[in-house]
Amino acid sequence: MARLLRVLLFETPHDPYMNLAFEEAFARARGAGLVDDTLRIWRNDRAVIIGYFQEAEGEVDMEEASKLGVKVVRRFSGGGAVYHDLGNVNYALAVDGRAVPDPIGYAYTDLIRGVLGALRLLGCEPRVENVNDIVVGGRKVSGTAASFRWGACFIHGTLLLSVDLATLSRVLKPPKEKLLAKGVSEVKYRVANLSELLGRGLGYREVVEALVRGFEEALGAEAYFDMPSSEELSAARLLYEQKYSSPQWNLNRVPHSVFQKLEGELSSLFSRA
Amino acid sequence: MLAVGSAVKRAQKGVIKARLTVDTETLRIVEARITGDFFLYPEDALWKLEESLRGAAVAEVADRVRDALKEAKLVGSTAEDFIEALMEAVEKAGVR
C-alpha cells in the first residue's frame, strides 16, 4: 500500500491565534502517532506571524499594526516575521519524526521539494536559495521554517499569491542589517507575488491542488482529504486559550516550557487518545 | 554599576540580536537576551545559552557559547556569529 498523506484544509482566517494554535495541535497529534502524515493548507487574514526567537517590538510596527487591525501572533518555529493576508496560502507538513536520522537535511532538502513541485505545476521555475528561501525569477515567493519536536518532523511556509505588499511594508520593520548588506532599501523589494511573476491570477483551489500533488510526489504518497480529529481540536482549544491568544506568548519571546499547566493538559489529552 | 549594551550580527542566514546587562565593576554578565530570525535546533538551546551567560565573566563569553551550543545545530549561522554579537554587546556596554 502506498504511503498515505492526510490533507486538512482547516483554517480560521479571521482568528490567526486559532490558526497558529491548530498548527501546533496537529504537529503534536502527528508526533504522538494519532494521525497520518498530514499536509495542512490554510490562510490568515491580516496578521504578522513572528518566529519563535523574535521580539515583536523589533520586527513589527505595533502602532501601525494596531491601526490597521493586523494581529501579531508567534509561531513555534524559528525564522523571520511574515505578513499574511488572504493573498497568501500557507502550507504545513507534519510527518513522523522518530525514524528520521537527519531531520534538518530531510526537512530542508526533501520535504521542501513538495513546495518546489507545486510551484512547477503552477508554471514557475523555482529555486532554493540560502537553505530555505524559495525564489522565482530572483524574487522570494516563499520562506520555509522547520521544527523537530513532539516526535514530529515539521515544515511550514507561506506562498505569496497576491498579498497586499503595501500593508506588508507598513507593518514589518525592515531588517536593517540584512538590507544594508544586500544594498536593498525595503522589505517589499525582496518578496514578490506569484500572480505578478506569472502575469495571471492564481486561485485558491488551483494552489491547493498544486500543493497536494507537489507533496504527493515529494513523499511518494497518496493524498486523502480529512477533517481535524477531536483530539486535534481539543488540543487546539487548549493551546488557543492558554498560549496563542496570550500576549505572554505572542509578544514576550518565552519558551514552551513556561506553559507548564498546558503541557500537562496536552500530555494527558494525547495519552488518553 | 550596571550597563546595557546591544549589538546586531548578520549571519549567512538570519540576524542575531544580543542585549546584555553587564556589571562594570565585577565584569560579569547580569542578564542576557538573544533574539532574531536564526534557526537553532533544538530551539530551546537558546534559553539554556542565556542561562549559562548569566553570572559569567565577560572573558568567559566565548567558552560559554561554544559549550551551550555544542550539542545544538545551527542552520545558516555559527556559534562564532553568536559570540561576535555578544562581544560587541559587551563593548557597547562600555566594557573592554
Side-chain angles (χ1 to χ4, degrees):
Chain A
M1 201 174 87
R3 179 178 180 176
L4 291 174
L5 177 63
R6 174 177 179 248
V7 179
L8 292 178
L9 300 180
F10 178 80
E11 59 180 3
T12 59
H14 300 292
D15 189 345
Y17 307 114
M18 178 52 94
N19 255 336
L20 272 298
F22 188 80
E23 197 88 327
E24 181 170 333
F26 96 90
R28 283 181 183 259
R30 177 60 196 104
L34 300 182
V35 294
D36 287 330
D37 291 344
T38 300
L39 170 66
R40 178 189 180 212
I41 301 168
W42 59 282
R43 291 165 294 183
N44 252 340
D45 191 12
R46 297 162 67 79
V48 173
I49 310 304
I50 61 173
Y52 189 42
F53 307 126
Q54 290 188 301
E55 226 159 31
E57 288 279 352
E59 309 303 324
V60 187
D61 185 329
M62 298 299 281
E63 204 177 314
E64 197 67 11
S66 158
K67 211 188 298 172
L68 294 168
V70 173
K71 298 184 177 88
V72 178
V73 193
R74 186 179 305 278
R75 61 175 188 266
F76 65 80
S77 61
V82 288
Y83 173 70
H84 285 174
D85 64 21
L86 294 174
N88 290 83
V89 172
N90 308 307
Y91 53 86
L93 179 76
V95 302
D96 186 1
R98 283 163 299 191
V100 180
D102 170 23
I104 295 174
Y106 182 59
Y108 289 123
T109 307
D110 297 319
L111 297 182
I112 210 170
R113 288 197 185 114
V115 191
L116 300 176
L119 286 166
R120 279 188 207 102
L121 289 166
L122 293 170
C124 303
E125 288 176 35
R127 287 193 307 127
V128 176
E129 277 185 12
N130 210 8
V131 184
N132 60 350
D133 292 330
I134 300 178
V135 173
V136 173
R139 309 278 293 277
K140 182 172 170 179
V141 298
S142 181
T144 55
S147 190
F148 318 100
R149 48 167 80 230
W150 312 306
C153 182
F154 180 90
I155 188 164
H156 60 178
T158 186
L159 285 177
L160 284 86
L161 306 186
S162 54
V163 173
D164 176 359
L165 295 177
T167 301
L168 177 150
S169 69
R170 281 174 70 180
V171 296
L172 289 185
K173 288 186 180 170
K176 294 189 188 83
E177 297 293 319
K178 256 190 211 176
L179 296 175
L180 287 174
K182 286 184 182 171
V184 178
S185 62
E186 279 193 69
V187 163
K188 62 184 173 185
Y189 297 125
R190 295 190 297 118
V191 296
N193 278 311
L194 282 167
S195 56
E196 183 200 326
L197 294 170
L198 286 169
R200 68 180 179 92
L202 279 170
Y204 166 72
R205 207 193 156 94
E206 182 183 6
V207 175
V208 168
E209 282 172 8
L211 282 167
V212 171
R213 279 186 54 199
F215 279 103
E216 271 187 323
E217 281 168 23
L219 296 169
E222 200 174 301
Y224 69 97
F225 286 81
D226 198 14
M227 299 290 277
S229 70
S230 62
E231 289 84 9
E232 285 171 323
L233 291 173
S234 300
R237 174 57 60 189
L238 290 171
L239 285 156
Y240 175 84
E241 287 169 354
Q242 297 180 42
K243 192 172 183 178
Y244 284 88
S245 63
S246 82
Q248 188 190 19
W249 169 255
N250 290 318
L251 307 180
N252 290 354
R253 200 228 54 168
V254 293
H256 294 284
S257 56
V258 161
F259 301 89
Q260 283 297 326
K261 177 173 163 275
L262 172 65
E263 290 295 328
E265 288 174 20
L266 289 168
S267 298
S268 65
L269 171 72
F270 287 137
S271 64
R272 277 199 309 271
Chain B
M1 204 182 82
L2 297 182
V4 177
S6 303
V8 178
K9 162 79 186 166
R10 183 184 176 274
Q12 179 218 328
K13 178 160 200 78
V15 166
I16 299 155
K17 300 179 182 180
R19 193 165 68 234
L20 293 177
T21 306
V22 183
D23 185 326
T24 55
E25 280 152 31
T26 62
L27 299 184
R28 286 191 179 272
I29 290 165
V30 175
E31 185 56 50
R33 190 166 168 89
I34 302 167
T35 62
D37 58 357
F38 46 87
F39 290 94
L40 167 67
Y41 303 105
E43 284 102 346
D44 294 342
L46 183 71
W47 283 269
K48 287 193 188 122
L49 167 60
E50 288 180 351
E51 184 58 43
S52 79
L53 289 169
R54 281 181 206 118
V58 296
E60 295 167 355
V61 166
D63 287 344
R64 296 282 175 114
V65 173
R66 286 188 197 113
D67 195 52
L69 297 181
K70 201 167 48 192
E71 305 290 320
K73 288 206 165 71
L74 284 157
V75 176
S77 64
T78 63
E80 300 310 306
D81 293 325
F82 281 73
I83 292 167
E84 265 185 54
L86 288 160
M87 291 316 292
E88 198 188 320
V90 166
E91 238 178 76
K92 294 270 178 66
V95 178
R96 282 179 192 274

